[in-house]
Amino acid sequence: MHSRDDRPEGFTRRSWHRKATKPVSYWMIALVIAVAAHPLIPQFRWLLVHMVTLGLVTTSIMIWGQHFTEALLKTRLAEETRSCQVARIWALTASIVLTMAGMLANLPLLTVFGAIGVSAMILWYAFALGAQLKAALAPRFSFVVRAYLIAACLLPFGATLGAILAFSPGEPWQGRLLLAHQIVNILGFVGVTVSATLLTLWPTVLRTKLDTLKATRASRFLIVMVIGTLIAMLGALVDNVLVGLAGLTLYILGQVVIGLLLVALARQSARQARREPLALFPVLSIGAGALWFLGTCVALWGLWFSSIGSSDGSPVSSPLNFSLTAARLHDLSVPFVAGFLLQLLLGAMSYLLPASMGGGPRAFKAGLAVMSRWTVFRVVTLNLALGLFAFASVSGTIGEALFGALTLGTFAPSQFGSVTRVLVSAVAFFVLASFIYLMLRMVKVNLRERLEFKECSAQLGMPRVGAPTAPKQSAPGASIPAPTASEASPAAARARESTDFPGPASLDRRHLTSALAGMGTVFSLAAVGRAFDGTLAGAAAVGTPAGGAHPENGTAPSIAPTGRTTRLKVEANADMRFVPNALEVPAGDRLEIEVHNVDPANTHDLVLDTGAHTSRLLPGDTVVLDAGVITAPVEGWCSIVGHRAMGMTLTVTPTGANTGKSHEADGGAAGVGTDSLARVKADLKAAPGASRTRRDPVVPAVPSPGAPQKLTFDVTEKNLEIAPGIAMESMVYNGEVMGPVITSPLGGKIELTLTNSGEMGHSIDFHAGTVAPNTYMRTIAPGESLEYPFTTDYAGAWLYHCSTAPMTMHLSGGMFGILIVPPQGLAPADREYVLVQSEHYLAPEASTGTDGRPVQGPDGCAVHGISSEKIFAERPDFTVFNGHANQYVHEPLEAKVGERVRIWVLAAGPSRGLAFHVVGTVFDTVFKEGEYLLRPDNTTGGGAQALDLGSCQGGFVEMVFHEEGTYKAVNHQFVDLERGALALIHVTA
């Protein structure tokens, strides 16, 4: 049996703190390394966010939740339980690492095991808190521990949602699960835990008295926050904006009520007369973190609310899953993670770590002084940098007003470029990383203070009963106790006077200087960044002035910048128009274009021929484009496929000077000096790229009649190879140029779910169905889904395709396919193939990114956009079978002598038909558009040499090969054969 003084070091409370907090230190170091190496890390945004939320915050909650539970309930656990607590913390750390490894390595099962481990450790922690709460005798602050327990029980829900996300369920569930996952984890587990902790930690940090009755009343709103979290999570899962907003409203109400109590405590503390000033960093950092938390919750409410109406105020079905979770919610990552979580965590730890280190009041004050070094500079610098990032992402006049107020009107959000962002984020990173240095310095100071105390005690001949203890907090808000008798001795006083660590300071003129230094640092770096951003923008324009004059058309007129800025508003609407589409700007003025997408269904952008461009704007989005100083006419257009061809263009004309015309008004996507109808060529004798998989031409089996056939189509936009070495900016169903081959029995039922995971509006039209087009063939916005039920009442080879305007662009981009409904009594064939012809029209010049470099397609091939000029001129570059030119030349179809071979054929277009012919054989059966044109037993003994099909027509032919050999299936309109409409049939004995 060990006495109190000779217990093993591994079982004391102080050593428990040292061992329990080691994982937090390791997470801090790992986070610094990850930030420095983030360009080399896949999914680095996900990793950094989860290193903070799971690694730092969740581990800290488990450590300090246990600490506060013991302090508030005044329970004394057996020292033997300490090793068990440390083991639980390390098991949590291992589970978090496993979860991250599974996500980075794309191993969903590994992620699931990690999520199970995290949930199990948190539930174990909750069970331990419950046992301590049950054993406590009428504790005054039991509501804090109850909140810890309830919040801990929420995390397994969030972990489950995260584990499901690891399997990439696709839209609409990907967006719903992501939003619900973030709500339950950040608002529920972290937010409720933090709010409960602040009820007692905040007055302790402020060294002011807490009214227990007021705290108990305010704590009731912790349950309101929990209920709000669950309702908001439900709203996200069922994609109901009103339900989600109701939950967020309850949650924010709870925040406000608790926040009012915290503000009252701060005012109470400010009015107190005290012997020693407060430690500034814990107060300012925790306070700033709490404000960011409330602000980001309100911003989330605003983002969610903005998705329930269209530009004219009428309610619309919002693309919530795409626009909010996949795009907009990322804008809240910085304020949530760095503004709220990191600031509040570091502020709390700067107070709690010196307290848990022990060493007496003197060591505690010295530790606080170290942790509060450069407080105002650190807090101002960090929060100003975070504000720049947060407000730059807010669209519209509100965002500009907030950004302008923060920067004192020195620059606009449109000037917050990439170099500026890197420099500002770097200073914020160094401010956060300085906490590690100060923490290590604090440990060193604490050890030195203990040593000095021990030496003083020895000089006075005082017995050392035990190590000095940390200041005891008899109740939340208690002040640091008076020095002990030993510390009040003359020797101890002399030791205190000799130290170079003064007590924590209060706000004074020095701190005003530090605040100005922080602001100056951020603004100076921003100015340097803006200068570099301007230089890079000029280089990207290849030496041309921002106004758009081109060297090949002569020297641009010399027009001096006026120093003025003109702001004009432009709307992108559902009629595929910019309104207004003609802008006039005083020559020499800098032009800022405020672009607002009022189209309720489609994504748009604005690209200027100077190289300036906006991001893709979702319905309802607004962004300000800095067009530069206007010295010559500038052309602009929407770069979404087909939108420019439909008239979505604008012109910018400088007034008041003879500027001339830089180039033709509609030079085409190919650029100035390029023939817009020049053919894109490929070596059709070459094999397809190594990553290209041959499209299986075998007709799938026809499902049995009876139960409906449930199909799922996912629309995406990607660069796909359509000829050797040539890729197209494609729009596709289920990932391939030409959608899936579908078969259905006569009279069968099909229930299709179409999900738009692309960046523009899309739709689908089944020629085999008899349904209302405005209901089932309507265009759906990104993130939306559509149910399309119909019956196959008629036999034939039916086309399906996207019916969103311009249909020529969408169909030639790959959005087409075939539905085969065999006629009644169709005899079986030995082999049955399908060949769908389509033509493709490509822009002559390869696509380039915003940096001017060529876009790399699969296997490094060139990527080309779709050319509306060639479509209108009917000048296709390639005519192909099943989505790729000559793919069946290198991997032919197969047959044997004497077998009956049936080939289903469809002319998908968008504009051209075909004359299908197989060289070396004769068709004895021809079925076209729902009826037989020829049967083997016809009385005239006739045969057929071709199946002629107009655009969108289909049918099938049958033949029997009598000799071994290689036969060619071709479009006998030979110009299309030479563009890639060729397949070989290899016949063996």
Side-chain angles (χ1 to χ4, degrees):
M1 193 75 183
H2 292 285
S3 67
R4 178 177 297 271
D5 298 325
D6 60 0
R7 277 194 299 262
E9 174 69 10
F11 291 100
T12 66
R13 186 177 183 186
R14 192 177 307 123
S15 63
W16 171 79
H17 267 291
R18 289 202 304 270
K19 294 180 179 180
T21 54
K22 278 186 179 179
V24 176
S25 302
Y26 295 154
W27 281 119
M28 286 183 179
I29 296 171
L31 183 62
V32 171
I33 295 173
V35 170
H38 75 271
L40 307 176
I41 302 175
Q43 303 185 58
F44 75 90
R45 179 191 289 269
W46 182 95
L47 181 64
L48 295 181
V49 168
H50 284 77
M51 287 180 76
V52 173
T53 55
L54 270 180
L56 275 176
V57 175
T58 302
T59 308
S60 296
I61 284 175
M62 182 176 284
I63 295 168
W64 296 108
Q66 177 62 46
H67 172 90
F68 283 116
T69 296
E70 293 182 37
L72 296 172
L73 299 182
K74 300 187 182 302
T75 56
R76 185 166 190 83
L77 299 180
E79 299 295 346
E80 290 75 12
T81 63
R82 301 297 179 191
S83 59
C84 186
Q85 293 170 2
V86 172
R88 183 169 63 218
I89 292 168
W90 279 107
L92 173 68
T93 302
S95 299
I96 295 172
V97 172
L98 199 65
T99 302
M100 294 179 178
M103 285 298 297
L104 295 180
N106 195 24
L107 298 173
L109 289 179
L110 194 61
T111 303
V112 169
F113 288 134
I116 291 174
V118 170
S119 300
M121 294 306 104
I122 290 296
L123 289 176
W124 183 8
Y125 157 78
F127 177 81
L129 296 187
Q132 294 173 65
L133 183 62
K134 186 177 180 180
L137 300 175
R140 289 187 299 165
F141 300 103
S142 60
F143 57 82
V144 176
V145 183
R146 289 194 183 94
Y148 289 168
L149 199 158
I150 295 173
C153 292
L154 292 176
L155 185 63
F157 289 99
T160 300
L161 296 173
I164 297 173
L165 283 169
F167 291 90
S168 301
E171 295 295 352
W173 284 106
Q174 183 77 16
R176 297 180 186 181
L177 292 169
L178 176 59
L179 183 56
H181 168 74
Q182 293 173 327
I183 286 174
V184 74
N185 279 355
I186 296 180
L187 302 190
F189 172 62
V190 176
V192 173
T193 301
V194 166
S195 299
T197 300
L198 288 180
L199 286 175
T200 55
L201 177 62
W202 183 242
T204 303
V205 170
L206 292 172
R207 289 177 20 213
T208 192
K209 185 175 178 58
L210 175 65
D211 188 320
T212 307
L213 181 60
K214 291 181 179 179
T216 303
R217 289 173 180 171
S219 70
R220 296 168 186 167
F221 284 85
L222 293 171
I223 299 301
V224 174
M225 294 173 69
V226 172
I227 295 172
T229 299
L230 296 175
I231 294 175
M233 179 185 70
L234 176 64
L237 290 176
V238 301
D239 201 6
N240 190 307
V241 180
L242 296 180
V243 172
L245 289 177
L248 279 181
T249 302
L250 285 176
Y251 191 91
I252 294 171
L253 174 63
Q255 281 184 298
V256 170
V257 172
I258 294 173
L260 290 175
L261 175 61
L262 301 184
V263 171
L265 289 169
R267 295 175 61 186
Q268 175 180 300
S269 175
R271 291 193 295 264
Q272 285 181 211
R274 57 182 82 252
R275 291 179 302 166
E276 296 181 7
L278 292 176
L280 283 182
F281 186 75
V283 174
L284 296 182
S285 188
I286 292 174
L291 288 175
W292 276 111
F293 186 31
L294 177 60
T296 46
C297 288
V298 173
L300 176 59
W301 192 98
L303 288 179
W304 215 344
F305 177 79
S306 66
S307 67
I308 65 175
S310 63
S311 60
D312 60 1
S314 59
V316 296
S317 177
S318 164
L320 170 67
N321 299 320
F322 181 86
S323 64
L324 182 59
T325 60
R328 293 177 175 176
L329 205 57
H330 285 308
D331 295 338
L332 299 181
S333 297
V334 170
F336 256 134
V337 174
F340 163 48
L341 293 178
L342 279 178
Q343 277 204 106
L344 201 143
L345 175 64
L346 298 184
M349 289 180 65
S350 67
Y351 185 90
L352 295 172
L353 287 177
S356 64
M357 285 288 294
R362 173 180 164 75
F364 174 62
K365 288 187 290 184
L368 276 181
V370 173
M371 298 304 293
S372 289
R373 282 187 173 181
W374 320 306
T375 288
V376 176
F377 176 83
R378 289 158 62 195
V379 173
V380 169
T381 302
L382 176 61
N383 285 278
L384 182 55
L386 294 177
L388 292 178
F389 277 94
F391 296 152
S393 64
V394 180
S395 61
T397 55
I398 295 179
E400 292 181 51
L402 292 172
F403 194 90
L406 190 66
T407 61
L408 307 178
T410 54
F411 64 104
S414 58
Q415 297 174 293
F416 196 52
S418 58
V419 177
T420 309
R421 289 172 180 268
V422 168
L423 293 177
V424 173
S425 61
V427 72
F429 167 72
F430 283 116
V431 167
L432 289 171
S434 67
F435 181 88
I436 299 177
Y437 164 77
L438 294 176
M439 180 177 66
L440 297 175
R441 181 68 178 162
M442 181 273 297
V443 172
K444 183 177 180 181
V445 169
N446 180 277
L447 294 176
R448 191 170 82 180
E449 289 298 323
R450 289 194 204 179
L451 181 61
E452 290 181 358
F453 179 85
K454 182 178 179 180
E455 291 175 350
C456 290
S457 299
Q459 292 174 7
L460 296 171
M462 296 174 60
R464 187 175 186 273
V465 177
T469 60
K472 181 179 179 182
Q473 304 290 336
S474 58
S479 299
I480 298 178
T484 61
S486 59
E487 287 187 309
S489 64
R494 286 192 299 272
R496 284 198 298 272
E497 291 171 1
S498 65
T499 182
D500 58 350
F501 296 101
S506 59
L507 286 171
D508 54 27
R509 292 181 180 179
R510 291 175 302 161
H511 295 112
L512 177 60
T513 303
S514 296
L516 294 176
M519 295 174 63
T521 300
V522 175
F523 287 150
S524 298
L525 290 174
V528 173
R530 293 203 310 278
F532 276 99
D533 284 326
T535 302
L536 293 176
V542 198
T544 64
H550 293 262
E552 63 267 30
N553 292 287
T555 304
S558 177
I559 297 176
T562 64
R564 298 188 299 267
T565 297
T566 297
R567 168 71 65 86
L568 298 176
K569 295 183 179 181
V570 170
E571 290 185 345
N573 64 25
D575 296 326
M576 300 297 166
R577 292 291 184 272
F578 288 116
V579 180
N581 63 357
L583 308 180
E584 292 188 350
V585 185
D589 275 16
R590 175 175 291 277
L591 173 62
E592 293 181 350
I593 306 175
E594 183 179 318
V595 186
H596 182 203
N597 183 8
V598 299
D599 188 337
N602 289 296
T603 302
H604 297 292
D605 64 9
L606 175 59
V607 176
L608 303 181
D609 60 6
T610 61
H613 61 90
T614 69
S615 57
R616 296 286 172 92
L617 302 180
L618 299 163
D621 278 358
T622 300
V623 71
V624 176
L625 172 64
D626 184 357
V629 177
I630 302 301
T631 61
V634 176
E635 301 296 331
W637 61 88
C638 178
S639 70
I640 304 296
V641 176
H643 291 192
R644 184 181 186 184
M646 296 179 70
M648 204 163 188
T649 61
L650 62 75
T651 59
V652 179
T653 305
T655 60
N658 181 20
T659 59
K661 185 70 175 173
S662 63
H663 54 82
E664 293 299 320
D666 190 12
V672 178
T674 301
D675 180 3
S676 61
L677 298 180
R679 187 183 172 197
V680 175
K681 297 181 181 181
D683 181 4
L684 296 182
K685 294 182 181 179
S691 63
R692 167 75 190 187
T693 302
R694 170 184 182 262
R695 185 66 177 265
D696 188 358
V698 176
V699 175
V702 179
S704 301
Q709 184 179 177
K710 297 182 181 294
L711 303 175
T712 301
F713 277 16
D714 187 40
V715 179
T716 54
E717 292 135 18
K718 56 200 306 187
N719 300 327
L720 296 174
E721 183 181 287
I722 61 169
I726 301 295
M728 176 176 66
E729 293 179 355
S730 308
M731 300 170 279
V732 292
Y733 297 118
N734 288 7
E736 291 187 280
V737 173
M738 190 179 102
V741 176
I742 307 171
T743 58
S744 175
L746 197 59
K749 298 182 182 298
I750 292 179
E751 295 177 357
L752 174 85
T753 300
L754 177 70
T755 299
N756 186 358
S757 298
E759 295 186 347
M760 67 187 81
H762 292 293
S763 58
I764 195 166
D765 170 8
F766 279 93
H767 286 196
T770 53
V771 296
N774 60 309
T775 300
Y776 300 105
M777 302 177 196
R778 71 180 188 275
T779 297
I780 58 174
E784 289 188 342
S785 294
L786 172 73
E787 301 295 329
Y788 191 140
F790 65 98
T791 58
T792 53
D793 294 325
Y794 300 93
W798 301 97
L799 174 68
Y800 67 82
H801 64 93
C802 180
S803 59
T804 299
M807 283 185 278
T808 52
M809 303 290 287
H810 289 250
L811 206 153
S812 64
M815 299 190 75
F816 62 88
I818 185 172
L819 165 60
I820 296 174
V821 183
Q824 191 74 40
L826 179 64
D830 296 299
R831 297 180 188 265
E832 198 166 6
Y833 296 111
V834 58
L835 295 174
V836 178
Q837 178 186 286
S838 58
E839 71 262 17
H840 302 280
Y841 308 80
L842 305 182
E845 289 190 349
S847 301
T848 56
T850 56
D851 58 358
R853 298 179 180 178
V855 177
Q856 292 293 313
D859 303 308
C861 62
V863 178
H864 294 259
I866 302 170
S867 169
S868 58
E869 291 90 344
K870 289 184 179 180
I871 290 176
F872 296 147
E874 293 192 48
R875 297 274 292 274
D877 297 285
F878 301 101
T879 307
V880 308
F881 286 144
N882 294 356
H884 194 283
N886 288 9
Q887 62 178 313
Y888 301 119
V889 171
H890 301 276
E891 294 184 74
L893 283 62
E894 296 181 350
K896 292 184 180 295
V897 172
E899 288 184 334
R900 175 160 293 275
V901 178
R902 178 182 298 131
I903 302 179
W904 291 83
V905 185
L906 175 68
S911 301
R912 300 173 70 85
L914 81 156
F916 184 72
H917 170 69
V918 177
V919 180
T921 189
V922 173
F923 304 148
D924 62 14
T925 304
V926 177
F927 180 90
K928 175 184 177 181
E929 287 297 289
E931 188 55 84
Y932 285 96
L933 302 183
L934 181 68
R935 289 178 180 269
D937 55 355
N938 67 87
T939 57
T940 61
Q945 56 192 317
L947 170 61
D948 62 313
L949 300 171
S951 179
C952 96
Q953 289 189 318
F956 66 81
V957 295
E958 294 180 6
M959 68 218 77
V960 176
F961 296 98
H962 300 288
E963 295 182 4
E964 297 179 60
T966 299
Y967 297 75
K968 295 180 179 180
V970 303
N971 183 342
H972 215 277
Q973 295 171 182
F974 282 149
V975 66
D976 289 319
L977 160 66
E978 294 173 356
R979 292 189 181 115
L982 169 65
L984 301 183
I985 306 174
H986 186 51
V987 179
T988 57

